[in-house]
Amino acid sequence: MGKTFLSANLAHTLARAGYKVVAVDTDIEGPNLHTWLGVKTPRASLADFVSGRESRVENLLQETPHHGLGLLAATHGNLAAAQPSAARRAELLGALRELPCDFVFVDCGAGAHPANIDYFLVGDEGLLVLHPEPTSVENTYTFIRAAFYRRMQLAMQKHDVRECVREAMDQRNDRGIRTPLDLLRAVEEMDPEEGQRFAATMKTFRPRVVVNEVASTEDIKLGFSVRSVCRKFFGIEVDYVGYVNRDQAVRDAVLLRKPLTEVHPESDAAVYLQRVAGKLVEAARDAGSSR
């Protein structure tokens, strides 16, 4: 919950800072990124790429009312077959990486659908948004596990190990593998060489978390709790990059169909969003300097 709100406002924040940004909506079943960015009727959509009506992703981009911020909308999808095939997704993601811009924000749909996992994994930074509610926390853990297993399945080179990862995705598997740490131990026992590859890949899997609509100190602490649980029980490092407080200004902005960071840039929620955006810029700089 709140992922489209964050995507729109983080993209808008970086565009205001002078970066060239593209916001991409991949939630074809429930698109509304265009609404947050003030685009009433997108002239083209990701659905045109999925259906084959348009093969060049750059032709689907359109300007928004905000300088430096482009949009690839997801309206008018074929709900009978909304998401692109795996091969088509790979083509899309390759094209997004070639766009002439500084940042691309991909707003994924909800849940652990394979398409959402692929979109999440291909990014330089994967940002998860959770609410301080039990159901949202459960969904976050489920998504992290699903994304982790998918990453590992792609990284392993031997068939029997990949098959072991596939079996581990079933939470009631006969091998007794219940957590990513269990899977690491199983792979190390099966094949030490693949075990080393598994451990090395595991260290590079580092999702980031933002807690949205916090209303208390306990809500703020939730991000630290999620980080601790992932480290202790999954063996996965999660970065808690910040929180956004509950703010009436957010509702005002969505009713105006504009980013919060434009309508109420001095509001508490907008200030916290700017802090998160700053951390993403720092991460991009660090990644660039290490290459």
Side-chain angles (χ1 to χ4, degrees), residues 122-253:
V122 80
D124 293 326
E125 302 291 340
L127 189 64
L128 297 170
V129 183
L130 70 152
H131 273 223
E133 301 163 0
T135 50
S136 179
V137 175
E138 288 175 358
N139 291 341
T140 299
Y141 288 139
T142 297
F143 188 91
I144 289 174
R145 282 202 307 268
F148 174 79
Y149 289 140
R150 173 68 171 157
R151 168 65 62 82
M152 291 304 148
Q153 193 174 35
L154 294 173
M156 296 300 98
Q157 296 184 359
K158 296 184 180 177
H159 174 75
D160 57 339
V161 177
R162 286 200 299 269
E163 187 62 18
C164 177
V165 176
R166 188 189 65 77
E167 290 181 33
M169 293 179 180
D170 179 358
Q171 291 293 293
R172 295 184 175 179
N173 62 82
D174 294 336
R175 292 175 181 263
I177 298 172
R178 299 291 179 260
T179 71
L181 272 179
D182 291 341
L183 180 57
L184 169 62
R185 296 184 187 108
V187 172
E188 286 176 332
E189 196 170 307
M190 287 176 64
D191 188 314
E193 183 181 350
E194 285 283 75
Q196 289 182 1
R197 183 175 295 107
F198 191 107
T201 305
M202 195 171 184
K203 289 180 180 176
T204 67
F205 182 77
R206 200 176 182 108
R208 296 170 181 266
V209 167
V210 172
V211 183
N212 190 29
E213 290 201 72
V214 304
S216 68
T217 303
E218 291 304 309
D219 291 346
I220 295 172
K221 291 179 181 177
L222 177 61
F224 296 109
S225 298
V226 170
R227 186 176 67 181
S228 296
V229 168
C230 287
R231 177 182 295 160
K232 181 176 180 179
F233 295 102
F234 296 169
I236 295 173
E237 293 294 332
V238 170
D239 286 335
Y240 180 26
V241 294
Y243 59 89
V244 180
N245 63 337
R246 185 177 298 167
D247 196 327
Q248 175 61 35
V250 175
R251 176 172 166 75
D252 296 342

Side-chain angles (χ1 to χ4, degrees), residues 96-118:
L96 292 180
R97 281 199 168 275
E98 297 300 319
L99 292 178
C101 61
D102 300 305
F103 292 94
V104 175
F105 282 84
V106 178
D107 179 30
C108 302
H113 186 282
N116 295 335
I117 298 290
D118 283 352

Side-chain angles (χ1 to χ4, degrees), residues 248-270:
Q248 175 61 35
V250 175
R251 176 172 166 75
D252 296 342
V254 73
L255 290 176
L256 292 171
R257 299 171 183 261
K258 293 182 178 179
L260 172 70
T261 45
E262 175 179 288
V263 178
H264 296 295
E266 305 302 324
S267 65
D268 286 348

